[in-house]
Amino acid sequence: MTASQINNRLQGILTNIGISLTALTDQANFARDLGLDSLDVTDLLIQVEASFGIRIPDEDWGKLQTVGQVKDYIANETIFDSGQSA
């Protein structure tokens, strides 16, 4: 999956939960900059798991606080899932 595909799919998820495209920068913090509460972030990460066919372990959820961190996580997981080893 390309970075552009990840970005487009993630933008779709975020806009579906009410986030403006203009607010979506890699540095945008979900709570501080985008106004998401813990339930919103939980919903977002569940949608990311479903949309990208990945599983985010519970211990990683707290580490994913910005749009860029989620993009990087997805990129790493989809590369791993495509059969390439790290």
Side-chain angles (χ1 to χ4, degrees), residues 7 10-11 14-15 19-30 32-34 65-72:
N7 190 53
L10 186 57
Q11 281 181 347
L14 287 162
T15 56
I19 305 299
S20 167
L21 275 178
T22 58
L24 295 179
T25 66
D26 283 352
Q27 297 78 27
N29 181 283
F30 296 124
R32 185 181 61 243
D33 301 320
L34 302 178
Q65 298 179 10
T66 69
V67 173
Q69 289 170 336
V70 171
K71 285 182 189 178
D72 290 343

Side-chain angles (χ1 to χ4, degrees), residues 17-76:
I17 62 172
I19 305 299
S20 167
L21 275 178
T22 58
L24 295 179
T25 66
D26 283 352
Q27 297 78 27
N29 181 283
F30 296 124
R32 185 181 61 243
D33 301 320
L34 302 178
L36 300 181
D37 63 22
S38 61
L39 287 176
D40 294 328
V41 173
T42 298
D43 181 46
L44 165 67
L45 294 178
I46 289 170
Q47 288 187 49
V48 165
E49 287 180 325
S51 180
F52 290 94
I54 62 173
R55 171 137 178 9
I56 304 171
D58 294 344
E59 60 269 13
D60 289 346
W61 284 43
K63 300 173 188 174
L64 302 174
Q65 298 179 10
T66 69
V67 173
Q69 289 170 336
V70 171
K71 285 182 189 178
D72 290 343
Y73 192 92
I74 294 166
N76 288 333

